[in-house]
Amino acid sequence: MDITDTLPAECMSHVISLTTPRDACRLSVACRVFKSAADSDSVWEKFLPSDYKEIISSSVSDSSLITSFSSKKDLYFHLCHNPIIINGGTLRLVLEKESGKKCYIPVGVVQRFIPWGDIPDDWI
């Protein structure tokens, strides 16, 4: 007897929601039943920050993001790859892809490239 035949999809989704986004993606390629459970909105709702609706609705970016995506999984990955502007335009928020943790980045911070940055004399 196969466990995927006897365990309700809601139970599998709940178990998957207790893992990580990475594990859910891995499980979704294991078999068709796991894919259905791992791709469910109930799983990805758990991976999104608990206050994601408030964050998005108060963002300077597009507050229609909540309704723009057909699934919570799509919204999750959008927030991982596309920072939104919050806090009156002073911060960018992006989700860390593997854990779903919120990362705040000041808007004025720009990455700098230092050629030959591994040579201490170039830092002077």
Side-chain angles (χ1 to χ4, degrees), residues 16 19 27-28 45 60 64 69 76 88 101 105 117 121:
I16 293 170
T19 65
L27 284 168
S28 72
E45 179 93 25
V60 176
S64 67
F69 296 94
Y76 178 87
K101 292 183 179 179
I105 306 161
D121 292 340

Side-chain angles (χ1 to χ4, degrees), residues 22-52:
R22 173 180 257 181
D23 290 336
C25 289
R26 288 178 175 168
L27 284 168
S28 72
V29 297
C31 73
R32 189 174 22 131
V33 176
F34 282 159
K35 179 171 178 41
S36 175
D39 287 347
S40 72
D41 277 351
S42 63
V43 169
W44 290 92
E45 179 93 25
K46 299 279 186 179
F47 297 147
L48 287 164
S50 58
D51 58 346
Y52 79 93

Side-chain angles (χ1 to χ4, degrees), residues 73-117:
K73 181 179 180 180
D74 291 341
L75 174 61
Y76 178 87
F77 282 109
H78 178 80
L79 293 174
C80 289
H81 297 289
N82 303 286
I84 59 171
I85 308 297
I86 60 169
N87 199 32
T90 62
L91 289 175
R92 290 180 291 165
L93 174 115
V94 65
L95 297 184
E96 196 276 319
K97 191 176 359 180
E98 290 191 29
S99 68
K101 292 183 179 179
K102 296 183 273 188
C103 300
Y104 296 99
I105 306 161
V107 168
V109 173
V110 177
Q111 288 184 330
R112 306 235 183 249
F113 173 73
I114 302 173
W116 310 287

